[in-house]
Amino acid sequence: MAKTLDSNRAPPLYRLVAGMLRPIVLHGLRPRVEGRHNVPADGPAILCGNHLSMLDPVIVPLLLSRPVVFLAKGEYFRFALTRWFFDGLGVVPVAREGGSAARASLERGTDVLRAGGLLSLYPEGTRSPDGRLYRGKTGPVRLALRAPAPIVPVGIIGTREMIPPHAYVPHLGVPVTVRFGEPLHFDGPLNDPGHLRLETDRLMRAIQQLSGQAYVDAYARPTQRARVSDDALDAFGEPQRPDGTADSGEGDRR
């Protein structure tokens, strides 16, 4: 796994795929980029953005000069071909359940950051079912406190219109904007659910200011997405309560 944790050098397959896609994306889709200087040139950091389209995890890494490590759900590593592909890109497999699976995901993400890597997570845990911004899970803030590492909020605009749900071919000519906000720094107790919720709400407000989306004070559930396919780049699950239910938290309404 050491090859995935080099903060300045991407795995060979990552470099190959990025080299092929970068001119297509930058010159074909021509995304507008704002605040790129807010992403640290080296050292640990977490990218946390809204998630509107399957195009999001393709565009954002191509806008940066340093490699980005994604966490992907473990189901994508079940088959030899997909396992080879994601391993070659330096993707870290995680389970999306809570409890022990969430703790294991936290450890893997912490390893990436402590090695100086740039990690990408989607706090909502899945693509938005309707284009609005949903309540964030506390996993990214937990990672930021453990590493420690700053979180760079990211606001993505236009990718849902470029590739709507159920579509696989982009609608060319749709303007896309990616905004990198100022890094957020976190401190305080790691095991205080109330503190984690407040800090996660602060992160989601920063993302909302960048994306301009309406906010929904509830988690985006897979059942809400109807026929939209499972997301490959998911934030890990919430910690479990003693009664076995996930921590829902109370987000502030906006």
Side-chain angles (χ1 to χ4, degrees):
M1 183 172 165
K3 66 180 181 180
T4 69
L5 300 181
D6 189 320
S7 61
N8 294 308
R9 185 169 179 80
L13 184 60
Y14 185 109
R15 297 198 302 271
L16 175 63
V17 172
M20 295 171 57
L21 293 180
R22 184 170 281 116
I24 297 174
V25 169
L26 298 187
H27 300 294
L29 305 184
R30 305 181 69 85
R32 178 179 178 182
V33 187
E34 300 176 8
R36 184 159 31 199
H37 62 278
N38 288 318
V39 180
D42 53 38
I46 306 171
L47 299 177
C48 284
N50 58 322
H51 198 5
L52 298 171
S53 165
M54 61 192 300
L55 195 60
D56 300 338
V58 177
I59 288 182
V60 173
L62 298 178
L63 302 177
L64 303 174
S65 59
R66 60 182 298 195
V68 179
V69 177
F70 283 95
L71 301 186
K73 64 178 185 176
E75 290 92 325
Y76 282 81
F77 291 78
R78 288 180 179 175
F79 304 101
L81 182 59
T82 55
R83 183 169 60 250
W84 169 84
F85 181 72
F86 284 112
D87 279 341
L89 293 178
V91 174
V92 178
V94 297
R96 297 200 294 179
E97 304 89 342
S100 60
R103 288 190 292 273
S105 301
L106 196 66
E107 291 290 347
R108 293 187 180 98
T110 303
D111 288 343
V112 172
L113 294 170
R114 288 180 177 168
L118 181 60
L119 186 68
S120 180
L121 290 170
Y122 295 108
E124 293 169 276
T126 187
R127 277 175 284 178
S128 171
D130 53 18
R132 296 182 294 175
L133 184 69
Y134 283 75
R135 178 192 292 170
K137 296 185 178 183
T138 59
V141 172
R142 285 174 172 269
L143 276 174
L145 290 170
R146 285 190 60 167
I151 294 181
V152 178
V154 183
I156 303 173
I157 302 169
T159 55
R160 182 180 175 87
E161 290 73 25
M162 180 168 282
I163 300 187
H166 321 310
Y168 295 94
V169 178
H171 297 167
L172 300 179
V174 176
V176 171
T177 300
V178 179
R179 294 172 175 159
F180 297 96
E182 294 185 4
L184 302 178
H185 297 270
F186 301 86
D187 56 20
L190 176 60
N191 297 316
D192 181 346
H195 177 70
L196 292 173
R197 173 47 51 197
L198 287 174
E199 292 290 64
T200 299
D201 289 342
R202 177 164 72 98
L203 168 62
M204 300 311 291
R205 284 196 297 272
I207 295 173
Q208 184 190 24
Q209 289 173 359
L210 294 168
S211 70
Q213 294 167 278
Y215 180 76
V216 180
D217 188 31
Y219 292 124
R221 303 292 184 183
T223 53
Q224 289 178 285
R225 290 184 288 125
R227 294 187 295 112
V228 178
S229 61
D230 285 339
D231 195 307
L233 304 171
D234 189 13
F236 43 82
E238 293 292 88
Q240 295 288 314
R241 293 172 172 166
D243 62 3
T245 61
D247 171 27
S248 60
E250 287 298 329
D252 53 339
R253 299 179 183 276
R254 27 193 192 280

